[in-house]
Amino acid sequence: MRRRTFLKAGVAGTVLLAGAARIPAAAARAADSMAARGLSSADRVVVAAIAPVMLAGALPAGEAKAKAVASVVDGVSQAVAGMPPATRRELGELFMLLDLAPTRRLVAGVSRPWPEASVGEIAAFLQAWRMSRLALLQSGYHALHDLIVAAWYAQPESWPPLAYPGPPEV
Amino acid sequence: MAISDPIRQGLARGWKVTDASRLERDLALEADVVVVGTGAGGGVTAEILTRAGLTVILVEEGALRSSSDFRMREGEAYPELYQESGARKTLDKSINILQGRAVGGSTTVNWTSSFRTPGATLAYWQSEFGLTDLGADALAPWFARMEQRLGISPWTVPPNENNDLLRRGAEKLGISWGVIQRNVRGCWNLGYCGMGCPTNAKQSMLVTTIPAALDAGARLLTRTRADRLRIAAGRVAALECRALDAAGTDLRPQRITIRARHYVLAAGAIGSPAILLRSRAPDPYRNLGARTFLHPVVVSSAVMAERVDGYKGAPQTVYSDHFLEQAPVDGPMGFKLEAPPIHPVLYGMTLQGFGAGHTALMHEFAHAHALIALLRDGFHPESPGGMVGLRDDGSPVLSYPLTSFVWDGARRALLAMAELQFAAGAKRVFPVHEQVADGYASWREARAGIAQLPLVPFKTRVVSAHVMGGCGMAADPRRGVTDSRGRHWHLDNLSVHDGSLFPTSIGANPQLSIYGLTARNASLLAEALARRRAPA
Ligand SMILES: Cc1cc2nc3c(=O)[nH]c(=O)nc-3n(C[C@H](O)[C@H](O)[C@H](O)COP(=O)(O)OP(=O)(O)OC[C@H]3O[C@@H](n4cnc5c(N)ncnc54)[C@H](O)[C@@H]3O)c2cc1C
Ligand code: SF4
């Protein structure tokens, strides 16, 4: 019936597809199957780069930080895996857009590969999508926001700074 | 103290429960009635029909979980107990929708607030949809019956601070407020109703009507998705179901076919219309899936000087209907004010911003006070609600246009909540909107700021936990999908018994409306089926 997945939503989708035209079909198919359950290794790299910016000031400092980021990546992957197939497909398209260099540059405005991107560059990308007038980019921002925020605040390690004691014993 | 688990005890007693994620081959089953969905409508239906001596099969796409599984952790509860892990959204992704997906449906995770259908709503249904047999007097005994069945009574324990702030703010402003009735027995006042009640105090369908039906011999299929009705000659000939995997998200090859004398859809709003759409059920006047309502919710957060600890103590125990009563039901959109539970994941996802700004708000977590305004949709030509459609894979999706009529209500709601929060002593107020960074320090500042806010999708957080409509009732088949008894206008042996029946939103939290209406309609159905069986 009505098909309107992440990439195909409206005008923005057309722009994005034009930009992504150089993506080989095989890569697109791979993204489809990678999103079949949790995050692919390429998706994990993206989340690992974005999470410390999304959660600036919330993650522990020093050595504990890498562990916290890894736990957020795992949490996001689990959350994606628990979504129904249609949502997984849409998230797969969002991550494909961020994974692949041409669309990362064009649509996210991040010039270097994710592990090398600066905090400022990533924050600018998030802010641009958040304040964009295109529904597609705003919804992409909110998907990342909700997945990453949920993955962190589900963990007991995030609770002490909130002065949240955790659930009571029954 | 060990809490006894009525579900595990029932299973040990020999309840007939089949988890389709472990099914090895196809199944063919028969019963007098098959009920799809085990939430508010399905639970009440199953109990009443089994009591009447009918054989019943219950079909539920969620899993059977119980108090021993409910560990009050958001990270577990949302994926296990909610549709789409709690991340269901409208088609354009601008509204987040919370619905349950488990045995007990949304009642397993709901917040226990119980209101009878408001008189103004029933009067509107009478005048606009001809539902003359659903007046307040006619329904009163059904509400009373369900209130008794589910322990619904006013909450006499003092409200938690988050709710008391609503009371104090309302008193300061001289607007009306009330104490909410709850469906609980022996509630521990923990505040984790949204993650499944760990003490079985909440009188959800999971611990009341469904155990009663299973004890009376009903059969329950879990992780089983009702796919479509097979329709022939104006009747339903069979229900075709698919087995789901252990995660409850993906199809397995096994199929389950159920034949029954009568079919009841209680898969909830979005869910029930989706089954009828997949079945290509007759819909000559294009009512199916239309007029789906949400009580769109806008949120206002505040920081208080003292701790609020909004995660603790029963949620939603105080309300104000003042802003529902300022105009006629079909005038500018009114709204109900309530104080929701505040837990880290849901609160963090809801709050605006990212990085340092978001973290700063989260660090005020223990001092956070939150109010929600539930907008009463569906009573005005400019509030026609949303439309359920199907994706390629047959899964349902709701499109819900946020019209300027809705935004007008949303703006008044954000203003009203900010004023009330300042009256209750808030230090700062943060309407949940992406362009409110540092919040407002005074009512005067908030009033000026909120007046200027661009209220548009995504910038303004809009959520819903009350999906209604899509299989609306009407006395005239041109206006609705079913009649006032929930009987499908074009299929003889099919009824709808859930929140999708409502021709408008309720204007109050909907569970008791569903319980009462379903008790009536299931009783009428039981009589009709008994008559048909009796020798002529
Ligand atoms: C977090 C939350 C808090 C709430 N708080 C309150 C409150 O305080 N007070 C109040 O009055 N209301 C509250 N509600 C709303 C209330 O619980 C619902 O309106 C009510 O339960 C709806 O009843 P229903 O029978 O229509 O559907 P549901 O109770 O949602 O049940 C529908 C069931 O059908 C199943 N289903 C769907 N499709 C299929 C299919 N194809 N095959 C098989 N099974 C299927 C679903 O998994 C679900 O279990 C809340 C809801 C939520 C989510
Ligand atoms: S507040 Fe009461 S009903 Fe809610 S989870 Fe706690 S004990 Fe159960």
Side-chain angles (χ1 to χ4, degrees):
Chain A
M1 274 213 159
R2 196 177 347 208
R3 175 167 163 86
R4 189 109 65 108
T5 60
F6 189 83
L7 274 182
K8 298 215 160 84
V11 188
T14 321
V15 176
L16 296 187
L17 281 174
R22 276 168 294 157
I23 300 167
R29 270 201 305 279
D32 245 9
S33 66
M34 281 190 293
R37 230 53 233 232
L39 297 180
S40 71
S41 50
D43 304 340
R44 296 177 70 93
V45 170
V46 177
V47 177
I50 296 175
V53 182
M54 189 72 88
L55 297 169
L59 299 178
E63 267 169 41
K65 183 164 180 176
K67 217 179 123 220
V69 170
S71 70
V72 169
V73 174
D74 285 341
V76 170
S77 187
Q78 264 173 35
V80 172
M83 299 286 182
T87 314
R88 292 205 303 270
R89 197 197 309 141
E90 291 181 345
L91 289 170
E93 287 171 353
L94 168 64
F95 279 111
M96 184 183 75
L97 201 78
L98 298 172
D99 290 345
L100 297 168
T103 42
R104 185 197 67 230
R105 270 189 228 108
L106 188 79
V107 190
V110 174
S111 61
R112 283 168 293 176
W114 289 102
E116 295 156 35
S118 69
V119 167
E121 208 174 5
I122 295 173
F125 142 67
L126 291 174
Q127 179 66 5
W129 279 31
R130 178 163 90 103
M131 290 303 162
S132 168
R133 279 167 39 220
L134 302 177
L136 179 74
L137 301 187
Q138 293 183 86
S139 70
Y141 163 80
H142 283 287
L144 294 170
H145 176 272
D146 291 7
L147 284 167
I148 291 170
V149 164
W152 175 239
Y153 289 106
Q155 300 185 40
E157 297 76 64
S158 71
W159 298 341
L162 275 50
Y164 171 57
E169 294 290 328
V170 296
Chain B
M1 186 179 128
I3 294 161
S4 67
D5 182 331
I7 302 303
R8 294 199 179 171
Q9 288 166 358
L11 289 168
R13 278 200 300 279
W15 280 351
K16 287 183 275 180
V17 177
T18 305
D19 174 354
S21 73
R22 300 160 74 159
L23 214 57
E24 295 298 335
R25 54 194 145 71
D26 292 356
L27 274 185
L29 302 170
E30 275 182 36
D32 290 325
V33 184
V34 56
V35 179
V36 179
T38 58
V44 172
T45 301
E47 176 170 48
I48 289 173
L49 297 185
T50 50
R51 283 252 158 95
L54 295 155
T55 59
V56 172
I57 296 176
L58 283 154
V59 176
E60 170 57 56
E61 71 173 328
L64 175 58
R65 296 191 205 272
S66 56
S67 53
S68 323
D69 307 310
F70 299 152
R71 301 190 334 122
M72 298 181 277
R73 279 169 177 69
E74 291 179 282
E76 295 171 6
Y78 301 146
E80 288 177 1
L81 303 174
Y82 285 70
Q83 288 291 356
E84 307 184 27
S85 301
R88 179 169 265 187
K89 291 181 195 310
T90 48
L91 179 67
D92 70 357
K93 313 257 184 297
S94 67
I95 307 177
N96 286 42
I97 297 175
L98 294 177
Q99 277 183 299
R101 186 200 55 178
V103 174
S106 301
T107 75
T108 298
V109 295
N110 81 14
W111 298 341
T112 72
S113 307
S114 304
F115 296 88
R116 290 187 180 193
T117 318
T121 301
L122 293 174
Y124 187 83
W125 292 0
Q126 296 206 3
S127 65
E128 295 300 313
F129 296 92
L131 300 172
T132 46
D133 46 352
L134 299 183
D137 290 343
L139 287 177
W142 298 106
F143 290 137
R145 170 173 163 171
M146 290 314 298
E147 285 159 359
Q148 202 174 11
R149 174 70 181 97
L150 303 176
I152 292 173
S153 55
W155 181 239
T156 52
V157 176
N160 72 2
E161 178 67 2
N162 197 40
N163 280 275
D164 202 52
L165 284 163
L166 168 53
R167 178 189 66 80
R168 301 205 300 268
E171 285 198 336
K172 247 322 195 346
L173 297 179
I175 66 176
S176 66
W177 61 275
V179 173
I180 296 182
Q181 306 211 59
R182 305 183 62 221
N183 57 320
V184 294
R185 286 196 170 97
C187 169
W188 294 28
N189 201 23
L190 299 174
Y192 287 75
C193 316
M195 289 160 236
C197 177
T199 69
N200 297 309
K202 176 164 65 177
Q203 300 295 288
S204 68
M205 299 301 98
L206 176 64
V207 302
T208 58
T209 54
I210 293 184
L214 292 171
D215 276 331
R219 174 163 193 170
L220 170 64
L221 306 175
T222 65
R223 293 191 177 99
T224 303
R225 179 173 297 153
D227 181 32
R228 66 189 71 208
L229 303 162
R230 208 182 298 152
I231 294 168
R235 291 180 63 81
V236 180
L239 173 70
E240 296 174 356
C241 307
R242 300 292 305 262
L244 297 173
D245 64 0
T249 54
D250 290 54
L251 297 176
R252 298 180 67 231
Q254 289 76 12
R255 292 167 186 276
I256 302 123
T257 308
I258 307 171
R259 285 171 198 284
R261 290 166 59 206
H262 199 88
Y263 299 78
V264 175
L265 296 183
I270 299 183
S272 287
I275 295 168
L276 290 170
L277 286 168
R278 288 194 293 264
S279 311
R280 300 184 186 280
D283 178 29
Y285 305 103
R286 306 215 149 263
N287 292 314
L288 181 56
R291 296 188 64 78
T292 296
F293 301 105
L294 291 175
H295 285 159
V297 164
V298 287
V299 187
S300 187
S301 185
V303 177
M304 310 304 296
E306 307 296 324
R307 283 186 72 121
V308 178
D309 295 328
Y311 53 86
K312 201 162 68 179
Q316 295 190 159
T317 54
V318 171
Y319 72 102
S320 173
D321 276 352
H322 175 80
F323 299 97
L324 283 175
E325 292 156 359
Q326 296 312 295
V329 72
D330 55 355
M333 211 174 234
F335 49 91
K336 189 178 190 81
L337 294 182
E338 290 174 344
I342 306 177
H343 290 101
V345 170
L346 200 56
Y347 188 61
M349 283 169 57
T350 304
L351 283 184
Q352 61 264 48
F354 69 91
H358 184 269
T359 303
L361 281 175
M362 288 305 286
H363 284 172
E364 306 272 19
F365 178 79
H367 291 254
H369 165 52
L371 286 180
I372 54 177
L374 300 95
L375 292 153
R376 179 172 56 189
D377 50 345
F379 293 83
H380 190 280
E382 287 177 57
S383 176
M387 181 78 196
V388 178
L390 299 176
R391 299 192 186 92
D392 277 359
D393 65 359
S395 60
V397 60
L398 173 68
S399 53
Y400 188 103
L402 288 162
T403 59
S404 55
F405 183 79
V406 178
W407 290 124
D408 168 65
R411 192 180 308 276
R412 284 182 284 106
L414 290 174
L415 284 165
M417 290 190 286
E419 183 174 21
L420 192 147
Q421 289 175 311
F422 281 116
K427 289 200 302 181
R428 297 196 82 82
V429 170
F430 295 81
V432 181
H433 187 289
E434 295 297 338
Q435 276 162 248
V436 177
D438 302 322
Y440 304 116
S442 67
W443 165 230
R444 172 200 272 280
E445 216 180 89
R447 187 168 47 191
I450 294 168
Q452 299 296 318
L453 278 181
L455 295 188
V456 290
F458 298 108
K459 299 289 188 296
T460 318
R461 196 53 113 157
V462 180
V463 299
S464 167
H466 297 166
V467 197
M468 297 156 282
C471 296
M473 300 178 284
D476 176 346
R478 285 170 300 186
R479 301 283 319 277
V481 174
T482 77
D483 67 14
S484 62
R485 299 165 304 162
R487 303 289 291 254
H488 194 276
W489 273 117
H490 310 286
L491 295 169
D492 239 15
N493 55 343
L494 177 68
S495 301
V496 179
H497 285 188
D498 61 21
S500 66
L501 287 175
F502 301 144
T504 63
S505 77
I506 294 292
N509 311 51
Q511 68 170 346
L512 181 51
S513 294
I514 302 171
Y515 298 141
L517 182 65
T518 303
R520 168 191 187 266
N521 289 350
S523 302
L524 293 173
L525 176 63
E527 276 170 35
L529 291 175
R531 262 201 313 278
R532 247 191 270 160
R533 183 162 42 188

